[in-house]
Amino acid sequence: MKEKFLRPLFFVPALVLLAAFVIYPVVNTVWLSFLSPDGNFVALDNYADVLSQQEMVDLRGFQRGFPYGALIHNFMWLVIHLPLTVLAGLALAILLRGVRGGSIIKSIVFLGMVTPMIVGGIILRFMFDGSIGIVPGIARLFGGSPETLTAYPETALLSLILGSLWLWVPFGMVLYSAGLETIPSEVYEAAMIDGAKPLSMFFNITFPLLRPITEVVVTMTFLWDLKIFDVVYAATMGGPGGASNVLALQMYFYAFRKFDFNSAAVVACVLMLLTTAVAAPMMIRSAREAR
Amino acid sequence: MFKRILLVACALLLVATCAAFAADAKTLTCIGPWSGAEMEAFVPVLQAFEKETGIKVDYRIYRGEDLSAQLPAQFSAKTTPGDVIFMWSWFIAKQGEAGHALELTGLIKDGDYLPGALDGLKVGGKLYGIAYTGKVKPGFWYRKSFFQKHGLTPPTTWEEFVALLDKIAKIPGIKAPIVSGDSVGWPLSDVTEHFIATFGGPQLHKELTAGTIAWTDPVVKGIFEGRLVPLLKAKRFSEPIEWTQALELWWQGDYGLYFMGSWITGMVKDPSDLGVFSLPGARGIVFGADYAFVPAYTKHPEEAKKLIQFLATKGQEIQVTKGGHIATYTKVPLDAYPPVDRGVAELLTGRVALSDMDDTIGGEFQPTFWDQLKLLWVKPDRCTEVLETLEKKAP
């Protein structure tokens, strides 16, 4: 009986912290998104206003090229960065499994993951610099023109997406490496006795058994792509001409350059809705499995 | 034994606390944007203040871009990371209006400063900041040795300027006649403002700053399409390159000209090899001052006021001796300047000193201006779109 009453008591410190640092800011931000700068309730007017801005969605981009707006740029991150990250992480984990010196190579690859993203952004900027960058340098070797790829609207976003692979691929590689260790070797031995080929073993054993890992990698990468800020801030500041702008950076511009906290709250809520939509299925599944 | 240890520990704690309070009482934190060589030129100013007043000053480096994100949150919590902070004039005025900056009216005399130097820091007649030294954005810098070697001379007409760029473009090894500095975008806005002030006159520059003329106005469009865009299309400007790296490339001869502010004189190996010319016919020159204020939440308001007063007056005289800075305090004698800066100051003679447009307007316009110019530099055919975007964000 005593335990029954004591148990909830232990939740109190955590609940107080959650209420102060998560629930209150979230509720306040949502509330702020429905208010005008002078504090009047304006329902969805802020949402209509922000989502109709060219910084968010610029349909002219489909005729003249970049920029397409922060929302579409974020989707581009998802479409390009997400599958590449998952595939590259998986490929590295498989290729380096059991290879002599594989753990050293993994450690080197993992350096990208431990590099602060803001530093990663600055490194990216120099990687694509026409004068000293490694990417234009390689292009020069093959007769290409040594242009600063982050300076041009048609290549800026793509440079950041592809360039940031080294910052996030290690995350997938580490998780997949751990996942591969959990697959019993007997399963492969049985398949080999049955005459299965390596490719067939990958698609029928490795990949299905790594499904829980893939779900985590996909979800976390999805969230990373949606909230991407520091890399873009440091490398291009969303430019040129907004060609690499993303939602989180637009939120920053609204909040700290325009001092329009209501519009910033709208972007924050849009981001929150998108991330919740992605994270919710994984959380529900985890809860079910826990039961 | 235990009691003795406890007693000694308490005594040590008391001494440490007193020492911390004593140190804290006379230590100010000054936040500024300068690092490297620029910081080395600023630190002697603070040292002179320390010597004169006995008040210790710690210097910390923060860029304006970072402060603009950090300070509003700090001020909302009624705290501040510094006692004297260098920041954009529009930001200071905004914080003064909101009660986050101490009023400094009467601390310095208006008449002792360049005309208009303090205007952007006032709200309703009350002064919330000081103008420190400034930098002139006089025009295109060149190496005298480079010009001599290739038989080049500074132009006196627009046609001569275009011909000069043609000549430089033909010099073997030259990547482009003018190197375009890049950072968050301000070097490009400095060049653009120079074109506006030259071909539209100082009045047009002032009207664009005040928002009384549209960026899409035919006069403005004419300057962009008639002067700047043809040069960009002809690749007379390089693509934007990080500005300190651009300085090195220009100095080593990859480029012929570099549009930069007067602080360049403190950044090159041999300032005596520097020459500078404005666009022919320039009637106005942009003068970008550095501004500072005292946050209302400083724990040492009186000491902070002493420091800011020192910076606004005597400090300027010390600063200009280091090169690269021009005083806004008119009582600084001309002989305090190094010779190369005296030359820069001469360029101002007979010309209108204009306040830096993007620093004055600030807000959302500032990063938009920088970013749109980055686009224009690599896609000059999108000039109309750039001007339309600027008009949307203009005051």
Side-chain angles (χ1 to χ4, degrees), chain B residues 30 42-51 55 57-60 86 307 310-311 318:
Chain B
C30 176
F42 178 62
V43 168
V45 178
L46 298 179
Q47 286 169 342
F49 172 77
E50 287 177 336
K51 200 175 171 186
I55 301 168
V57 186
D58 279 342
Y59 175 67
R60 289 186 195 163
F86 281 87
L307 174 58
F310 182 86
L311 291 170
I318 302 166

Side-chain angles (χ1 to χ4, degrees), chain A residues 10 16 26 35 41 50 52 63 98 116 120 134 140 143 159 168 170 192 205 208 210 228 256 258 265-266 268 276 290:
Chain A
F10 287 114
V16 168
V26 168
L35 300 180
F41 183 75
V50 167
S52 63
Q63 289 174 335
I134 186 166
R140 201 180 293 128
S159 300
W168 195 243
M192 281 165 78
I205 299 171
L210 286 176
I228 187 83
F256 300 116
K258 200 179 175 188
V266 169
T276 308

Side-chain angles (χ1 to χ4, degrees), chain B residues 166-190:
Chain B
D166 292 342
K167 273 186 199 171
I168 296 174
K170 286 173 190 162
I171 295 172
I174 283 286
K175 291 177 181 168
I178 308 166
V179 65
S180 306
D182 184 22
S183 172
V184 285
W186 57 262
L188 305 184
S189 68
D190 286 350

